[in-house]
Amino acid sequence: MRVRLLIADDHPIVRGGLRAALGGEPSVEVVGEAADGVEAVRLSAELRPDVVLMDLRMPGMDGVSAIRRLRGTGPRVLVLTTFDTDVVPAIEAGASGYLLKDAPPEELVRAVLATHAGETVLAPAVAGRLADSLRRPARGRLSKRELEVLRLVAGGATNREAAATLFISEASIKTHLLHIYAKLDVRDRAAAVGEAYRRGLLTD
């Protein structure tokens, strides 16, 4: 039985290359292509693939958000991306495997088949990063108030504007931000927002 595969990547050249590399495999049938997370979720519902080959950094709905939407709907998701920094959010969202785009075609084919068989596939560099993440002491979870502050900051609010919105003092906002920086292991507002998106704490 052939594995029904949906390719999700925002670059047409990449999608074409993947289709060419995988389409000739007798064990794989490429049933569709998606240019972003929204289309990946929609086509998954329409085409019912066995495996979705998912890029992570796409416009609109990113790959991690799409993986969350697909979780429990049927297909397994194999991440194929350029970056090895998003492995923890992707795996937490429900990805079955994580490969980098420099993987040779034969490795990609094996990974698709292994993912369909229920195995977890991780590129060596990704496995190392995941192990390092697990070895690090767990940071505390953000409180409800800290998430509210972070959402306002991500939306461009100043400390004064955030304080007015939440009916608290500017000093309280600064204290919450210091706690957020410590929990996310960052040093400033921009890094906190970026890390929060990376971890899936904030969504577009």
Side-chain angles (χ1 to χ4, degrees):
M1 185 176 66
R2 302 177 78 187
V3 177
R4 293 171 55 80
L5 181 71
L6 173 65
I7 297 170
D9 194 292
D10 60 323
H11 292 98
I13 293 177
V14 173
R15 295 198 306 272
L18 290 171
R19 179 180 280 276
L22 295 166
E25 288 295 322
S27 55
V28 177
E29 178 187 3
V30 178
V31 296
E33 299 177 14
D36 56 36
V38 172
E39 192 173 21
V41 174
R42 179 179 62 81
L43 287 178
S44 178
E46 291 178 7
L47 302 174
R48 315 304 284 176
D50 300 310
V51 176
V52 179
L53 193 59
M54 182 79 73
D55 189 18
L56 292 183
R57 303 193 181 185
M58 297 183 289
M61 183 189 294
D62 64 17
V64 171
S65 299
I67 293 168
R68 288 197 193 94
R69 295 282 189 91
L70 291 172
R71 191 170 189 168
T73 64
R76 299 180 184 276
V77 178
L78 174 61
V79 170
L80 182 68
T81 185
T82 304
F83 308 96
D84 66 356
T85 54
D86 301 320
V87 56
V88 174
I91 296 298
E92 289 178 342
S96 296
Y98 197 113
L99 283 186
L100 301 179
K101 286 183 176 176
D102 60 0
E106 59 272 16
E107 181 180 341
L108 182 56
V109 172
R110 286 196 298 268
V112 168
L113 298 178
T115 299
H116 179 243
E119 300 175 23
T120 298
V121 181
L122 297 175
V126 171
R129 182 175 286 275
L130 184 58
D132 288 342
S133 175
L134 293 173
R135 281 194 291 264
R136 285 196 299 267
R139 300 285 177 177
R141 292 183 179 274
L142 298 188
S143 68
K144 180 180 178 182
R145 177 64 84 186
E146 288 163 353
L147 282 171
E148 290 173 339
V149 170
L150 194 54
R151 287 191 188 99
L152 290 170
V153 168
T158 64
N159 287 356
R160 178 175 296 180
E161 291 167 341
T165 299
L166 297 175
F167 301 102
I168 58 178
S169 68
E170 273 191 75
S172 294
I173 293 292
K174 292 177 182 178
T175 299
H176 286 309
L177 284 172
L178 289 175
H179 291 164
I180 290 167
Y181 298 164
K183 290 180 178 181
L184 298 182
D185 196 21
V186 297
R187 296 184 178 181
D188 56 42
R189 298 161 73 95
V193 171
E195 180 66 11
Y197 274 114
R198 190 186 73 80
R199 296 190 187 190
L201 300 175
L202 299 175
T203 55
D204 294 327

